[in-house]
């Protein structure tokens, strides 16, 4: 049987703030366990939360970057449940009146509808060690935004590829907007994936299965494919899908049932009596909108229309904000967008992706690119040279001079060698005169290049050679 797949995403991202959401403890990854904690974030009786205004502003900015409406009054609620990583046995979250509502995100050619972004606090972390489990509450109370797509509205997300594209773009927007770092390996961005199938063409929604707390785009992609196949098989066999929460086992490449799904009612949400409603003014929204830095779509337009870059090159450069920022910094020194982009999409990215880091200063890189553009260094030697100086702090210009890789294009120098080669290879020259074969010409150019040890410009040598041979 043929089925339509419907995917809903709930995406959590830890906000970039100095302090936690409701206390002044540091929001910092990697501190020693239980050092960034206080009575408020571990929930000692009587401790009172104080809302971090900046966390609210970051949430609003996230919403504005995605075209959401901003509620002028937002409410914090308690979501009650017990788990060892949640010492106060409730999480401060938002249910009825989240900060952002009704957004969308373009995924390939679809505008995927999004219900909401709300602000809540993260829970602590369980650390498993052998047969023991420890709790680290440093993460407890860290501001977290949760975005929920509206899977029941069209157009639907329907495949693992679309879901990954959604997450990739979302992550990029959060990073560019400066609201979250979204480092996946640090768990700063996590997703719950909801999936249902229904017979092709049917209007009724199928039962959804939720997979919780997936980290890393590879697992998410694999988990979605697995779940679609699993449901298909059950439905094909005439079975029924259980509404449940499943856990993805990355190593085994399969999921298993965790628990039957709880409903919002199970959490006994109620407005947190310790926190006032948040009032957001038009002025706040206007100010925050103005403070948003340029976002990927806008930068993309500029790169393509103003800089004349291809869509591919643009996407490759913008995919990593650190690279994009570095590109702009180089451009400020040497306004040749295409020339610099060529080096970025090849040499620079290959090294960064290979794990070598951004091991070059903008001054050195620009000097080298310019030297190649001005034909002072052959492209090939420049590439080798770049590999050599990557990760060092030499001065490119003096190093290149010291190594003698700068081209010497003074005509005397090249003419001398040209004459020498023509004399030595006189039989080849005769052959060329008879056969007029481009290959033979290229062979002669190669000989000259060899003699100059790559310091001349092949194109110019060819021109001069043609001149000499009277063509
Ligand atoms: P819950 O309370 O179970 O978490 P929500 O209503 O919050 O459910 O929805 C969670 C996510 O699942 C949302 O993105 C929502 O759009 C999506 N969703 C709801 N119904 C379905 C369905 N039948 N198939 C796929 N996704 C769904
Ligand atoms: Mg949910
Ligand atoms: Zn605290």
């Amino acid at each position: 049987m043929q089925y339509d797949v419907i995917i809903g995403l709930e995406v959590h991202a830890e906000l970039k703030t100095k302090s936690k959401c409701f206390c002044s403890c540091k929001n910092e990854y990697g501190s020693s366990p239980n050092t960034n904690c206080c009575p408020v974030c571990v929930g000692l009786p009587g401790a009172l939360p104080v809302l971090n205004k900046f966390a609210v502003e970051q949430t609003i900015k996230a919403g504005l970057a995605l075209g959401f409406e901003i509620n002028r009054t937002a409410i914090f609620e308690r979501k009650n449940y017990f788990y060892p990583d949640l010492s106060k046995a409730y999480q401060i979250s938002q249910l009825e009146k989240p900060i952002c509502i009704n957004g969308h995100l373009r995924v390939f050619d679809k505008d995927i509808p999004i219900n909401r972004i709300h602000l809540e606090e993260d829970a602590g972390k369980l650390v498993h060690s052998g047969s023991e489990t420890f709790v680290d509450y440093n993460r407890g109370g860290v501001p977290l935004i949760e975005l929920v797509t509206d899977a029941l509205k069209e157009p639907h997300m329907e495949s693992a590829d679309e879901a990954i594209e959604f997450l990739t773009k979302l992550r990029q927007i959060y990073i560019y907007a400066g609201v979250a770092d979204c480092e996946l390996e640090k768990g700063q961005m996590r997703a719950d994936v909801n999936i249902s199938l229904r017979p092709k063409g049917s209007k009724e929604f199928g039962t959804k299965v939720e997979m919780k707390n997936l980290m890393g785009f590879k697992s998410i992609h694999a988990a979605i494919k697995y779940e679609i196949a699993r449901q298909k098989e059950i439905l094909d066999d005439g079975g029924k899908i259980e509404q449940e929460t499943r856990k993805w086992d990355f190593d085994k490449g399969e999921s298993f049932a965790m628990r039957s799904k709880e409903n919002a009612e199970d959490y006994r949400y109620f407005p947190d009596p310790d926190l006032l409603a948040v009032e957001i003014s038009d002025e706040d929204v206007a100010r925050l909108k103005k403070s948003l830095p340029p976002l990927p779509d806008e930068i993309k337009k500029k790169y393509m229309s103003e800089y004349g870059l291809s869509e591919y090159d643009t996407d490759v450069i913008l995919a990593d904000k650190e690279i994009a920022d570095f590109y702009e910094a180089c451009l400020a020194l040497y306004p040749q967008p295409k020339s610099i982009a060529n080096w970025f999409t090849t040499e620079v990215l290959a090294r960064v992706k290979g794990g070598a880091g951004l091991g070059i200063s903008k001054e050195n890189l620009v000097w080298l690119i310019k030297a190649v553009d001005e034909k002072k260094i052959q492209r090939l030697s420049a590439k080798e040279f770049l590999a050599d100086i990557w990760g060092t702090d030499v001065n490119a210009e003096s190093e290149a001079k010291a190594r003698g890789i700068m081209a010497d294009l003074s005509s005397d120098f090249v003419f001398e060698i040209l004459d020498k080669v023509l004399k030595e290879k006189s039989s080849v020259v005769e052959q060329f005169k008879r056969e007029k074969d481009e290959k033979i010409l290229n062979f002669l150019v190669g000989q000259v290049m060899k003699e100059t040890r790559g310091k001349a410009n092949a194109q110019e040598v060819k021109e001069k050679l043609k001149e000499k041979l009277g063509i």
Side-chain angles (χ1 to χ4, degrees), residues 240-356:
K240 258 184 63 188
I241 305 297
E242 294 294 326
Q243 172 154 339
E244 63 185 358
T245 299
R246 297 180 70 86
K247 198 175 160 66
W248 176 249
D249 186 323
F250 183 76
D251 297 322
K252 289 208 181 97
E254 56 190 56
S255 68
F256 54 89
M258 212 155 75
R259 55 168 186 253
S260 69
K261 175 73 188 143
E262 64 291 313
N263 292 310
E265 301 85 70
D266 299 328
Y267 290 118
R268 299 282 185 270
Y269 278 95
F270 64 87
D272 192 317
D274 290 339
L275 288 160
L276 293 171
V278 187
E279 302 296 340
I280 298 166
S281 68
D282 293 350
E283 290 73 42
D284 291 330
V285 174
R287 170 176 57 84
L288 292 166
K289 191 163 201 165
K290 246 177 91 181
S291 77
L292 273 180
L295 298 171
D297 277 352
E298 185 188 336
I299 306 178
K300 185 168 172 172
K301 270 189 209 133
K302 180 171 90 177
Y303 279 18
M304 291 177 65
S305 64
E306 263 177 55
Y307 295 177
L309 303 192
S310 69
E311 178 161 23
Y312 177 81
D313 286 357
T314 302
D315 286 344
V316 165
I317 291 173
L318 292 184
D320 182 339
K321 184 164 187 292
E322 199 190 353
I323 298 284
D325 288 345
F326 189 54
Y327 175 72
E328 291 284 346
C330 291
L331 211 51
L333 295 180
Y334 179 49
Q336 292 296 329
K338 274 182 146 169
S339 180
I340 298 179
N342 283 338
W343 284 83
F344 267 71
T345 54
T346 53
E347 303 302 312
V348 174
L349 266 173
R351 298 212 156 68
V352 173
K353 285 197 174 147

Side-chain angles (χ1 to χ4, degrees), residues 372-417:
V372 172
D373 287 352
E374 291 170 355
K375 302 193 163 55
K376 287 180 185 154
I377 298 186
Q378 287 294 103
R379 188 171 292 272
L380 204 62
S381 0
K383 284 183 180 181
E384 284 167 11
F385 179 64
L386 183 66
D388 281 352
I389 64 169
W390 198 271
T392 71
D393 54 5
V394 298
N395 174 285
E397 181 169 8
S398 25
E399 182 69 14
K401 281 184 175 146
R403 291 185 185 200
I405 60 163
M406 303 284 292
D408 186 341
L409 292 174
S410 72
S411 21
D412 285 355
F413 170 77
V414 179
F415 271 120
E416 245 168 60
I417 291 177

Side-chain angles (χ1 to χ4, degrees), residues 418-447:
L418 208 64
D419 285 339
K420 184 168 160 242
V421 167
L422 289 180
K423 220 175 274 163
E424 281 171 13
K425 305 281 179 211
S426 56
S427 61
V428 180
V429 173
E430 288 312 312
Q431 193 192 350
F432 175 73
K433 281 183 178 159
R434 281 193 312 274
E435 300 174 11
K436 297 274 186 288
D437 185 348
E438 179 94 5
K439 270 193 214 124
I440 301 173
L441 193 64
N442 287 339
F443 168 79
L444 289 170
V445 173
Q447 291 302 305

Side-chain angles (χ1 to χ4, degrees), residues 6-10 115 146-153 192-197 205-210 212 243 261-264 267:
I6 292 183
I7 300 174
L9 295 175
E10 297 162 90
N115 260 330
E146 175 172 353
L147 170 150
V148 185
T149 69
D150 195 341
L152 302 185
K153 269 198 210 140
D192 303 344
V193 182
N194 298 268
I195 300 180
S196 68
L197 267 57
F205 293 105
T207 305
K208 78 170 154 78
V209 167
E210 179 183 48
K212 265 198 146 11
Q243 172 154 339
K261 175 73 188 143
E262 64 291 313
N263 292 310
Y267 290 118

